[in-house]
Amino acid sequence: MPTESLTITDNRTGKKYEVPIADGTIRAPDLRQIKTSDDDFGLMSYDPAFMNTVSCRSAIAFIDGDRGILEYRGYPIEQLAEKSTFLEVAYLLVHGELPTKTQLADWSTQIANHYMLHENIKKFIDGFHHEAHPMGMLLSTVGALSTFYPESKNIFDAATRRKQIHRLLGKMPTLAAYAHRHCLGLPYEYPDPRLSYVGNFMAMLWKRTGAEDRYTPHPALERALDILLILHADHEQNCSTSAMRVVGSSHPDPFCATAAAIGALFGPLHGGANEEVLKMLREIGSKDKVPDYIKRVKTGEMKLMGFGHRVYKNYDPRASIIKKAAYDVFAVTGTNPMLELAIELERIALSDDYFVSRKLYPNVDFYSGLIYEALGFPAEMFTVLFAVARTAGWLAQWQEMLLDKEQKIARPRQVFTGHRQRTYVPMAQR
Ligand code: CMC
Protein backbone atom coordinates (compact mmCIF):
# COMPACT_ATOMS: atom_id res chain seq x y z
CA MET A 1 0.00 0.00 0.00
CA PRO A 2 1.27 3.53 -0.72
CA THR A 3 2.12 5.66 2.33
CA GLU A 4 -0.85 7.91 1.63
CA SER A 5 -4.15 6.16 1.20
CA LEU A 6 -7.84 6.45 1.90
CA THR A 7 -9.87 3.72 3.58
CA ILE A 8 -13.44 3.59 2.40
CA THR A 9 -16.15 1.53 4.05
CA ASP A 10 -19.11 0.77 1.82
CA ASN A 11 -22.01 0.74 4.27
CA ARG A 12 -24.15 -1.08 1.70
CA THR A 13 -21.95 -4.16 1.91
CA GLY A 14 -19.71 -3.55 4.94
CA LYS A 15 -16.64 -4.04 2.69
CA LYS A 16 -13.52 -1.93 3.18
CA TYR A 17 -11.31 -0.59 0.37
CA GLU A 18 -7.90 1.07 0.38
CA VAL A 19 -7.49 3.70 -2.30
CA PRO A 20 -4.10 5.36 -2.91
CA ILE A 21 -3.79 9.14 -2.56
CA ALA A 22 -1.30 10.92 -4.83
CA ASP A 23 -0.89 14.70 -5.20
CA GLY A 24 -3.89 15.24 -2.94
CA THR A 25 -6.18 13.26 -5.23
CA ILE A 26 -7.68 9.82 -5.49
CA ARG A 27 -8.16 8.32 -8.93
CA ALA A 28 -11.86 8.23 -9.78
CA PRO A 29 -11.48 4.85 -11.62
CA ASP A 30 -10.28 3.36 -8.28
CA LEU A 31 -13.84 3.80 -7.04
CA ARG A 32 -15.09 1.36 -9.66
CA GLN A 33 -13.93 -1.62 -7.58
CA ILE A 34 -16.61 -0.62 -5.02
CA LYS A 35 -19.57 -2.75 -6.02
CA THR A 36 -22.67 -4.22 -4.43
CA SER A 37 -22.68 -7.23 -6.78
CA ASP A 38 -20.61 -8.69 -9.62
CA ASP A 39 -22.77 -7.07 -12.27
CA ASP A 40 -22.76 -3.67 -10.54
CA PHE A 41 -20.96 -1.13 -12.79
CA GLY A 42 -19.07 0.22 -9.75
CA LEU A 43 -19.11 3.48 -7.82
CA MET A 44 -18.59 6.75 -9.67
CA SER A 45 -18.17 10.31 -8.43
CA TYR A 46 -20.80 12.94 -9.33
CA ASP A 47 -19.42 16.42 -9.91
CA PRO A 48 -21.55 18.79 -12.02
CA ALA A 49 -19.49 21.76 -13.24
CA PHE A 50 -16.27 19.95 -12.19
CA MET A 51 -16.23 21.74 -8.82
CA ASN A 52 -13.82 19.20 -7.34
CA THR A 53 -12.48 17.19 -10.26
CA VAL A 54 -8.90 17.22 -11.50
CA SER A 55 -8.89 16.38 -15.21
CA CYS A 56 -5.19 16.54 -16.03
CA ARG A 57 -1.65 16.96 -14.81
CA SER A 58 -0.29 20.30 -15.96
CA ALA A 59 2.97 22.20 -15.55
CA ILE A 60 1.80 25.41 -17.22
CA ALA A 61 -0.06 27.72 -14.81
CA PHE A 62 -0.22 27.59 -11.03
CA ILE A 63 -2.98 29.32 -9.08
CA ASP A 64 -3.34 29.56 -5.32
CA GLY A 65 -6.84 30.97 -5.11
CA ASP A 66 -6.77 31.62 -1.37
CA ARG A 67 -3.53 33.59 -1.47
CA GLY A 68 -4.20 35.32 -4.81
CA ILE A 69 -1.14 33.81 -6.54
CA LEU A 70 -0.77 33.19 -10.28
CA GLU A 71 2.41 31.85 -11.86
CA TYR A 72 3.15 30.87 -15.46
CA ARG A 73 5.71 28.05 -15.52
CA GLY A 74 6.79 29.12 -12.03
CA TYR A 75 7.22 32.85 -12.77
CA PRO A 76 4.93 35.16 -10.76
CA ILE A 77 2.48 37.07 -12.96
CA GLU A 78 3.58 40.35 -11.35
CA GLN A 79 7.18 39.88 -12.60
CA LEU A 80 6.08 38.83 -16.06
CA ALA A 81 3.70 41.80 -16.34
CA GLU A 82 6.44 44.18 -15.28
CA LYS A 83 9.41 42.82 -17.21
CA SER A 84 8.37 40.66 -20.09
CA THR A 85 6.43 40.88 -23.36
CA PHE A 86 3.45 38.88 -24.56
CA LEU A 87 5.50 37.03 -27.18
CA GLU A 88 8.08 36.09 -24.56
CA VAL A 89 5.29 34.84 -22.28
CA ALA A 90 3.71 32.90 -25.15
CA TYR A 91 7.08 31.20 -25.73
CA LEU A 92 7.35 30.45 -22.01
CA LEU A 93 3.88 28.91 -21.92
CA VAL A 94 4.40 26.77 -25.03
CA HIS A 95 8.03 25.73 -24.43
CA GLY A 96 8.23 25.74 -20.63
CA GLU A 97 11.27 28.04 -20.37
CA LEU A 98 11.95 31.73 -21.01
CA PRO A 99 13.56 32.15 -24.43
CA THR A 100 17.14 33.26 -25.00
CA LYS A 101 17.60 36.38 -27.14
CA THR A 102 18.08 34.24 -30.27
CA GLN A 103 15.15 31.98 -29.47
CA LEU A 104 12.88 34.99 -28.95
CA ALA A 105 14.03 36.60 -32.20
CA ASP A 106 13.42 33.34 -34.07
CA TRP A 107 10.01 32.81 -32.40
CA SER A 108 8.95 36.40 -33.21
CA THR A 109 9.99 35.99 -36.86
CA GLN A 110 8.21 32.66 -37.21
CA ILE A 111 5.01 34.18 -35.83
CA ALA A 112 5.32 37.35 -37.92
CA ASN A 113 5.68 35.14 -41.02
CA HIS A 114 2.10 34.04 -40.37
CA TYR A 115 0.48 37.45 -39.80
CA MET A 116 -1.01 37.49 -43.30
CA LEU A 117 -4.36 35.85 -43.97
CA HIS A 118 -5.32 34.05 -47.14
CA GLU A 119 -7.21 36.62 -49.21
CA ASN A 120 -10.28 34.39 -49.19
CA ILE A 121 -10.64 34.86 -45.42
CA LYS A 122 -11.61 38.45 -46.16
CA LYS A 123 -14.57 37.11 -48.12
CA PHE A 124 -15.80 35.26 -45.05
CA ILE A 125 -15.53 38.42 -42.99
CA ASP A 126 -17.20 40.45 -45.75
CA GLY A 127 -20.13 38.05 -45.56
CA PHE A 128 -20.98 39.04 -41.99
CA HIS A 129 -23.59 41.65 -41.19
CA HIS A 130 -21.98 44.96 -40.22
CA GLU A 131 -23.55 44.59 -36.77
CA ALA A 132 -22.27 41.03 -36.31
CA HIS A 133 -20.48 40.52 -33.01
CA PRO A 134 -16.71 40.34 -33.60
CA MET A 135 -16.46 37.26 -31.34
CA GLY A 136 -18.80 35.43 -33.72
CA MET A 137 -16.60 36.52 -36.63
CA LEU A 138 -13.44 35.42 -34.82
CA LEU A 139 -14.90 32.03 -33.90
CA SER A 140 -16.03 31.39 -37.47
CA THR A 141 -12.87 32.53 -39.19
CA VAL A 142 -10.61 30.56 -36.83
CA GLY A 143 -12.76 27.51 -37.63
CA ALA A 144 -12.46 28.35 -41.33
CA LEU A 145 -8.65 28.25 -41.08
CA SER A 146 -9.04 24.49 -40.68
CA THR A 147 -10.10 24.31 -44.33
CA PHE A 148 -7.04 26.25 -45.52
CA TYR A 149 -4.45 24.07 -43.78
CA PRO A 150 -5.52 20.41 -44.09
CA GLU A 151 -2.02 19.25 -43.08
CA SER A 152 -2.71 20.68 -39.62
CA LYS A 153 -4.60 17.47 -38.76
CA ASN A 154 -1.22 15.80 -38.44
CA ILE A 155 -1.17 16.73 -34.78
CA PHE A 156 1.33 14.10 -33.62
CA ASP A 157 4.05 15.46 -35.87
CA ALA A 158 6.06 17.97 -33.80
CA ALA A 159 7.04 20.18 -36.76
CA THR A 160 3.43 20.39 -38.02
CA ARG A 161 2.21 21.18 -34.54
CA ARG A 162 4.84 23.91 -34.16
CA LYS A 163 3.82 25.46 -37.45
CA GLN A 164 0.14 25.65 -36.46
CA ILE A 165 1.12 27.27 -33.16
CA HIS A 166 3.07 29.96 -35.05
CA ARG A 167 0.21 30.25 -37.49
CA LEU A 168 -2.51 30.73 -34.89
CA LEU A 169 -0.49 33.15 -32.79
CA GLY A 170 0.35 35.07 -35.96
CA LYS A 171 -3.14 35.20 -37.39
CA MET A 172 -5.23 35.91 -34.29
CA PRO A 173 -4.44 39.64 -34.14
CA THR A 174 -5.07 39.94 -37.89
CA LEU A 175 -8.45 38.19 -37.62
CA ALA A 176 -9.36 40.31 -34.60
CA ALA A 177 -8.35 43.55 -36.34
CA TYR A 178 -10.22 42.62 -39.53
CA ALA A 179 -13.37 41.84 -37.54
CA HIS A 180 -13.04 45.23 -35.83
CA ARG A 181 -12.62 47.09 -39.12
CA HIS A 182 -15.51 45.21 -40.67
CA CYS A 183 -17.80 46.45 -37.87
CA LEU A 184 -16.70 49.99 -38.67
CA GLY A 185 -16.99 49.54 -42.43
CA LEU A 186 -13.28 50.28 -42.88
CA PRO A 187 -10.95 48.61 -45.39
CA TYR A 188 -8.69 45.94 -43.91
CA GLU A 189 -5.14 46.94 -43.09
CA TYR A 190 -2.38 44.52 -44.00
CA PRO A 191 0.04 43.53 -41.21
CA ASP A 192 3.33 45.37 -40.79
CA PRO A 193 6.00 42.90 -39.62
CA ARG A 194 8.42 45.77 -38.93
CA LEU A 195 6.36 46.59 -35.84
CA SER A 196 6.23 44.60 -32.60
CA TYR A 197 3.48 41.98 -32.17
CA VAL A 198 1.32 44.45 -30.26
CA GLY A 199 2.38 47.46 -32.35
CA ASN A 200 1.39 45.63 -35.53
CA PHE A 201 -1.96 44.70 -33.95
CA MET A 202 -2.57 48.38 -33.10
CA ALA A 203 -1.65 49.39 -36.64
CA MET A 204 -4.08 46.89 -38.17
CA LEU A 205 -6.80 48.14 -35.82
CA TRP A 206 -6.31 51.85 -36.04
CA LYS A 207 -4.13 52.90 -38.99
CA ARG A 208 -5.98 55.52 -40.98
CA THR A 209 -5.88 54.12 -44.49
CA GLY A 210 -4.55 56.62 -46.96
CA ALA A 211 -3.85 59.21 -44.25
CA GLU A 212 -0.81 57.57 -42.66
CA ASP A 213 2.18 56.04 -44.43
CA ARG A 214 3.21 54.22 -41.35
CA TYR A 215 1.47 53.78 -38.00
CA THR A 216 3.55 54.59 -34.93
CA PRO A 217 2.05 53.08 -31.78
CA HIS A 218 2.16 55.21 -28.65
CA PRO A 219 4.78 53.43 -26.48
CA ALA A 220 2.76 53.70 -23.23
CA LEU A 221 -0.40 52.36 -24.88
CA GLU A 222 1.53 49.63 -26.69
CA ARG A 223 3.02 48.56 -23.35
CA ALA A 224 -0.38 48.65 -21.60
CA LEU A 225 -1.90 46.42 -24.28
CA ASP A 226 1.10 44.09 -24.05
CA ILE A 227 0.55 43.82 -20.27
CA LEU A 228 -3.14 43.06 -20.76
CA LEU A 229 -2.25 40.27 -23.17
CA ILE A 230 0.27 38.86 -20.67
CA LEU A 231 -2.32 38.86 -17.89
CA HIS A 232 -4.85 37.01 -20.03
CA ALA A 233 -2.45 34.51 -21.60
CA ASP A 234 -3.31 31.50 -19.44
CA HIS A 235 -5.33 30.55 -16.40
CA GLU A 236 -5.09 26.76 -16.10
CA GLN A 237 -8.24 24.65 -16.45
CA ASN A 238 -10.91 27.33 -16.92
CA CYS A 239 -13.99 26.83 -19.09
CA SER A 240 -12.43 27.72 -22.47
CA THR A 241 -9.18 25.84 -21.78
CA SER A 242 -11.21 22.80 -20.79
CA ALA A 243 -13.14 23.21 -24.06
CA MET A 244 -9.82 23.33 -25.93
CA ARG A 245 -8.62 20.18 -24.21
CA VAL A 246 -11.92 18.29 -24.51
CA VAL A 247 -12.39 19.09 -28.19
CA GLY A 248 -8.67 18.56 -28.84
CA SER A 249 -8.91 15.15 -27.20
CA SER A 250 -10.86 13.81 -30.19
CA HIS A 251 -7.80 14.83 -32.30
CA PRO A 252 -9.14 17.43 -34.76
CA ASP A 253 -6.73 20.10 -36.00
CA PRO A 254 -6.00 22.95 -33.56
CA PHE A 255 -8.16 25.44 -35.48
CA CYS A 256 -11.29 23.39 -34.66
CA ALA A 257 -10.30 23.13 -31.00
CA THR A 258 -9.47 26.85 -30.79
CA ALA A 259 -12.83 27.75 -32.37
CA ALA A 260 -14.51 25.71 -29.62
CA ALA A 261 -12.46 27.48 -26.95
CA ILE A 262 -13.46 30.86 -28.40
CA GLY A 263 -17.11 29.81 -28.13
CA ALA A 264 -16.62 28.96 -24.46
CA LEU A 265 -14.81 32.23 -23.80
CA PHE A 266 -17.64 34.26 -25.36
CA GLY A 267 -20.08 33.47 -22.51
CA PRO A 268 -20.82 36.28 -20.02
CA LEU A 269 -19.73 34.11 -17.08
CA HIS A 270 -16.26 33.73 -18.62
CA GLY A 271 -14.46 36.09 -21.01
CA GLY A 272 -17.68 37.85 -21.99
CA ALA A 273 -17.79 39.38 -18.50
CA ASN A 274 -15.53 42.29 -19.49
CA GLU A 275 -18.13 43.51 -21.98
CA GLU A 276 -20.88 43.00 -19.39
CA VAL A 277 -18.99 45.09 -16.80
CA LEU A 278 -19.08 48.10 -19.09
CA LYS A 279 -22.79 47.60 -19.79
CA MET A 280 -23.37 47.34 -16.04
CA LEU A 281 -21.42 50.52 -15.28
CA ARG A 282 -23.37 52.35 -17.97
CA GLU A 283 -26.64 51.05 -16.54
CA ILE A 284 -25.69 52.22 -13.02
CA GLY A 285 -24.70 55.58 -14.49
CA SER A 286 -23.62 57.49 -11.37
CA LYS A 287 -22.06 56.92 -7.95
CA ASP A 288 -25.26 57.68 -6.03
CA LYS A 289 -27.01 54.75 -7.76
CA VAL A 290 -24.40 52.22 -6.56
CA PRO A 291 -26.06 51.30 -3.20
CA ASP A 292 -29.36 50.60 -4.93
CA TYR A 293 -27.64 48.43 -7.56
CA ILE A 294 -25.81 46.46 -4.85
CA LYS A 295 -29.16 45.89 -3.12
CA ARG A 296 -30.57 44.38 -6.34
CA VAL A 297 -27.51 42.15 -6.71
CA LYS A 298 -27.99 40.91 -3.15
CA THR A 299 -31.59 39.95 -3.80
CA GLY A 300 -30.33 37.75 -6.64
CA GLU A 301 -31.82 39.92 -9.41
CA MET A 302 -28.46 39.99 -11.19
CA LYS A 303 -24.77 39.33 -10.63
CA LEU A 304 -22.15 41.96 -10.08
CA MET A 305 -20.21 41.42 -13.28
CA GLY A 306 -16.42 41.33 -12.93
CA PHE A 307 -16.77 39.99 -9.39
CA GLY A 308 -16.24 36.49 -8.08
CA HIS A 309 -14.20 33.58 -9.32
CA ARG A 310 -14.36 29.80 -9.10
CA VAL A 311 -10.75 29.62 -7.93
CA TYR A 312 -9.81 33.01 -6.45
CA LYS A 313 -11.24 33.50 -3.01
CA ASN A 314 -9.02 36.53 -2.58
CA TYR A 315 -8.20 39.55 -4.76
CA ASP A 316 -7.45 38.33 -8.31
CA PRO A 317 -3.75 39.30 -8.73
CA ARG A 318 -4.44 40.23 -12.34
CA ALA A 319 -7.07 42.77 -11.24
CA SER A 320 -4.50 44.61 -9.06
CA ILE A 321 -2.02 44.83 -11.97
CA ILE A 322 -4.74 46.02 -14.35
CA LYS A 323 -5.90 48.67 -11.91
CA LYS A 324 -2.35 50.06 -11.86
CA ALA A 325 -1.96 49.82 -15.66
CA ALA A 326 -5.22 51.75 -16.03
CA TYR A 327 -3.60 54.88 -14.61
CA ASP A 328 -0.73 54.66 -17.14
CA VAL A 329 -3.24 54.53 -19.95
CA PHE A 330 -5.41 57.30 -18.54
CA ALA A 331 -2.31 59.52 -18.26
CA VAL A 332 -2.22 59.44 -22.08
CA THR A 333 -5.88 59.13 -23.02
CA GLY A 334 -7.55 61.04 -20.17
CA THR A 335 -9.49 59.29 -17.42
CA ASN A 336 -12.36 57.01 -18.24
CA PRO A 337 -15.33 58.62 -16.48
CA MET A 338 -16.49 55.12 -15.48
CA LEU A 339 -13.36 54.61 -13.34
CA GLU A 340 -14.71 56.56 -10.36
CA LEU A 341 -17.91 54.58 -10.54
CA ALA A 342 -16.02 51.27 -10.68
CA ILE A 343 -13.89 52.23 -7.68
CA GLU A 344 -17.01 53.19 -5.71
CA LEU A 345 -18.70 49.92 -6.67
CA GLU A 346 -15.64 47.98 -5.53
CA ARG A 347 -15.42 49.97 -2.27
CA ILE A 348 -19.05 49.34 -1.35
CA ALA A 349 -19.01 45.70 -2.43
CA LEU A 350 -15.85 44.94 -0.47
CA SER A 351 -17.33 46.35 2.72
CA ASP A 352 -20.63 44.52 2.36
CA ASP A 353 -21.09 41.24 4.20
CA TYR A 354 -22.79 39.59 1.19
CA PHE A 355 -19.56 39.88 -0.84
CA VAL A 356 -17.15 39.50 2.08
CA SER A 357 -18.75 36.29 3.38
CA ARG A 358 -18.81 34.77 -0.13
CA LYS A 359 -15.23 35.93 -0.79
CA LEU A 360 -16.28 37.80 -3.91
CA TYR A 361 -13.49 40.09 -5.12
CA PRO A 362 -12.95 41.96 -8.40
CA ASN A 363 -11.60 39.62 -11.06
CA VAL A 364 -9.50 40.33 -14.16
CA ASP A 365 -12.54 41.55 -16.07
CA PHE A 366 -13.59 44.26 -13.63
CA TYR A 367 -11.05 46.89 -14.72
CA SER A 368 -9.84 45.59 -18.11
CA GLY A 369 -12.84 47.01 -20.00
CA LEU A 370 -12.13 50.51 -18.69
CA ILE A 371 -8.63 50.37 -20.20
CA TYR A 372 -9.83 48.86 -23.44
CA GLU A 373 -12.44 51.58 -23.76
CA ALA A 374 -9.86 54.29 -23.08
CA LEU A 375 -7.64 52.72 -25.75
CA GLY A 376 -10.50 53.13 -28.22
CA PHE A 377 -12.03 49.67 -28.36
CA PRO A 378 -15.81 49.28 -28.55
CA ALA A 379 -17.16 46.96 -25.81
CA GLU A 380 -17.79 44.16 -28.35
CA MET A 381 -14.02 43.89 -28.91
CA PHE A 382 -13.11 43.29 -25.25
CA THR A 383 -13.58 39.53 -25.31
CA VAL A 384 -11.84 39.34 -28.69
CA LEU A 385 -8.73 40.79 -27.02
CA PHE A 386 -9.04 38.17 -24.30
CA ALA A 387 -9.16 35.48 -27.02
CA VAL A 388 -6.07 36.84 -28.81
CA ALA A 389 -4.13 36.57 -25.55
CA ARG A 390 -5.57 33.27 -24.35
CA THR A 391 -4.64 31.59 -27.65
CA ALA A 392 -1.11 31.24 -26.22
CA GLY A 393 -2.40 29.34 -23.18
CA TRP A 394 -4.89 27.28 -25.18
CA LEU A 395 -2.13 26.10 -27.53
CA ALA A 396 0.26 25.30 -24.68
CA GLN A 397 -2.47 23.33 -22.91
CA TRP A 398 -3.53 21.58 -26.13
CA GLN A 399 0.02 20.46 -26.81
CA GLU A 400 0.50 19.31 -23.22
CA MET A 401 -2.72 17.28 -23.47
CA LEU A 402 -1.65 15.63 -26.74
CA LEU A 403 1.73 14.63 -25.31
CA ASP A 404 0.27 13.31 -22.06
CA LYS A 405 0.22 9.51 -22.35
CA GLU A 406 -2.57 9.27 -19.78
CA GLN A 407 -5.01 11.39 -21.78
CA LYS A 408 -7.67 9.83 -23.98
CA ILE A 409 -10.79 11.16 -25.65
CA ALA A 410 -12.71 13.11 -22.97
CA ARG A 411 -15.92 11.31 -22.23
CA PRO A 412 -17.69 11.93 -18.91
CA ARG A 413 -20.39 9.66 -17.51
CA GLN A 414 -23.94 10.55 -16.50
CA VAL A 415 -26.58 9.64 -13.98
CA PHE A 416 -29.50 8.78 -16.25
CA THR A 417 -32.74 10.35 -15.01
CA GLY A 418 -35.07 9.74 -17.96
CA HIS A 419 -37.68 7.12 -18.87
CA ARG A 420 -36.69 3.60 -19.93
CA GLN A 421 -38.19 0.97 -22.19
CA ARG A 422 -41.25 2.89 -23.38
CA THR A 423 -43.34 1.63 -26.26
CA TYR A 424 -43.65 3.96 -29.24
CA VAL A 425 -47.09 5.59 -29.48
CA PRO A 426 -48.27 6.28 -33.06
CA MET A 427 -49.06 9.93 -33.83
CA ALA A 428 -52.84 9.30 -34.16
CA GLN A 429 -53.00 8.05 -30.57
CA ARG A 430 -51.11 10.93 -28.93
N1 CMC B 1 -22.38 38.75 -8.00
C1 CMC B 1 -23.20 38.38 -7.01
N2 CMC B 1 -23.17 37.19 -6.40
C2 CMC B 1 -22.24 36.32 -6.84
C3 CMC B 1 -21.35 36.62 -7.87
C4 CMC B 1 -21.43 37.90 -8.46
N3 CMC B 1 -20.60 38.26 -9.43
N4 CMC B 1 -20.56 35.57 -8.09
C5 CMC B 1 -20.94 34.61 -7.24
N5 CMC B 1 -21.97 35.08 -6.47
C6 CMC B 1 -22.62 34.36 -5.37
C7 CMC B 1 -23.47 33.23 -5.91
O1 CMC B 1 -24.78 33.67 -6.18
C8 CMC B 1 -23.41 32.24 -4.76
O2 CMC B 1 -24.25 32.73 -3.74
P1 CMC B 1 -25.08 31.68 -2.81
O3 CMC B 1 -24.02 30.88 -2.08
O4 CMC B 1 -25.91 32.53 -1.94
O5 CMC B 1 -25.89 30.84 -3.77
C9 CMC B 1 -21.98 32.40 -4.23
O6 CMC B 1 -21.60 33.76 -4.60
C10 CMC B 1 -20.99 31.42 -4.83
O7 CMC B 1 -20.97 31.61 -6.24
P2 CMC B 1 -21.00 30.45 -7.31
O8 CMC B 1 -21.99 30.81 -8.35
O9 CMC B 1 -21.13 29.12 -6.64
O10 CMC B 1 -19.53 30.56 -7.88
P3 CMC B 1 -18.98 29.82 -9.19
O11 CMC B 1 -17.61 29.41 -8.87
O12 CMC B 1 -19.92 28.81 -9.72
O13 CMC B 1 -18.97 31.03 -10.26
C11 CMC B 1 -18.30 32.89 -11.51
C12 CMC B 1 -17.85 31.78 -10.56
C13 CMC B 1 -17.07 33.67 -11.99
C14 CMC B 1 -18.99 32.29 -12.74
C15 CMC B 1 -19.27 33.85 -10.76
O14 CMC B 1 -18.60 34.43 -9.67
C16 CMC B 1 -19.86 34.91 -11.66
O15 CMC B 1 -20.84 34.66 -12.36
N6 CMC B 1 -19.25 36.16 -11.71
C17 CMC B 1 -19.71 37.18 -12.59
C18 CMC B 1 -19.18 36.93 -14.00
C19 CMC B 1 -17.71 37.22 -14.12
O16 CMC B 1 -17.21 38.26 -13.68
N7 CMC B 1 -16.98 36.30 -14.78
C20 CMC B 1 -15.55 36.45 -15.05
C21 CMC B 1 -14.72 35.45 -14.32
S1 CMC B 1 -12.98 35.89 -14.33
C22 CMC B 1 -12.45 35.81 -15.96
C23 CMC B 1 -12.63 34.49 -16.58
O17 CMC B 1 -12.07 33.50 -16.11
O18 CMC B 1 -13.33 34.43 -17.58
Side-chain angles (χ1 to χ4, degrees), residues 45-74:
S45 61
Y46 176 57
D47 188 14
F50 311 121
M51 299 284 288
N52 196 40
T53 291
V54 170
S55 64
C56 64
R57 302 177 70 82
S58 181
I60 299 172
F62 171 83
I63 302 177
D64 182 331
D66 291 326
R67 295 196 179 83
I69 293 173
L70 170 62
E71 294 168 2
Y72 295 162
R73 300 281 190 185

Side-chain angles (χ1 to χ4, degrees), residues 80-365:
L80 293 170
E82 192 190 330
K83 300 188 173 131
S84 126
T85 62
F86 172 70
L87 272 196
E88 201 182 352
V89 163
Y91 184 98
L92 172 70
L93 291 169
V94 170
H95 294 279
E97 296 297 337
L98 286 169
T100 62
K101 212 171 171 183
T102 321
Q103 285 167 333
L104 182 60
D106 186 45
W107 171 250
S108 307
T109 307
Q110 301 277 9
I111 290 170
N113 285 345
H114 291 282
Y115 282 164
M116 290 285 279
L117 298 174
H118 191 290
E119 287 290 292
N120 283 358
I121 289 281
K122 285 189 195 165
K123 297 184 190 158
F124 285 103
I125 300 178
D126 282 341
F128 287 105
H129 191 274
H130 64 278
E131 283 183 352
H133 197 290
M135 272 299 270
M137 290 191 237
L138 187 71
L139 186 155
S140 318
T141 46
V142 168
L145 290 178
S146 162
T147 65
F148 288 81
Y149 308 107
E151 80 280 8
S152 63
K153 285 181 183 58
N154 197 5
I155 53 173
F156 289 106
D157 176 65
T160 308
R161 222 172 32 238
R162 209 165 31 244
K163 190 164 184 178
Q164 311 322 311
I165 290 175
H166 296 148
R167 198 168 250 156
L168 259 163
L169 287 170
K171 294 194 191 313
M172 284 298 277
T174 319
L175 290 170
Y178 280 22
H180 173 66
R181 290 182 87 103
H182 177 74
C183 294
L184 300 178
L186 293 174
Y188 309 119
E189 190 59 50
Y190 284 118
D192 182 350
R194 294 167 299 180
L195 294 169
S196 72
Y197 186 80
V198 172
N200 167 58
F201 186 26
M202 292 167 81
M204 290 189 293
L205 287 159
W206 295 315
K207 185 166 175 238
R208 285 171 302 147
T209 311
E212 283 173 300
D213 282 342
R214 198 164 169 201
Y215 179 89
T216 311
H218 189 294
L221 303 186
E222 185 179 358
R223 181 63 197 147
L225 194 51
D226 210 11
I227 292 174
L228 283 158
L229 296 186
I230 292 171
L231 297 181
H232 286 88
D234 195 56
H235 212 232
E236 52 115 311
Q237 308 313 314
N238 54 84
C239 180
S240 58
T241 301
S242 297
M244 182 86 188
R245 280 179 171 263
V246 167
V247 173
S249 78
S250 77
H251 298 170
D253 64 61
F255 304 106
C256 296
T258 305
I262 293 171
L265 189 73
F266 196 6
L269 299 187
H270 191 9
N274 50 18
E275 187 179 339
E276 297 301 317
V277 171
L278 249 271
K279 282 191 206 154
M280 174 183 79
L281 292 175
R282 287 210 184 93
E283 188 192 330
I284 298 172
S286 59
K287 270 164 75 171
D288 57 310
K289 305 257 171 52
V290 170
D292 187 50
Y293 196 85
I294 296 270
K295 225 184 264 171
R296 288 168 63 200
V297 168
K298 284 161 62 177
T299 60
E301 197 182 318
M302 72 275 268
K303 279 188 168 167
L304 193 56
M305 298 313 283
F307 260 70
H309 201 275
R310 171 64 60 80
V311 182
Y312 291 121
K313 300 300 167 198
N314 197 328
Y315 214 96
D316 181 338
R318 302 168 300 173
S320 326
I321 301 169
I322 286 186
K323 204 170 161 188
K324 256 185 24 220
Y327 289 101
D328 298 338
V329 170
F330 298 156
V332 179
T333 62
T335 303
N336 188 321
M338 295 288 173
L339 177 67
E340 249 190 69
L341 187 49
I343 290 175
E344 178 67 358
L345 195 58
E346 179 188 334
R347 189 188 68 75
I348 296 193
L350 292 186
S351 55
D352 190 303
D353 187 55
Y354 175 93
F355 297 90
V356 175
S357 63
R358 288 172 177 76
K359 300 188 176 169
L360 300 171
Y361 291 87
N363 58 49
V364 67
D365 288 326

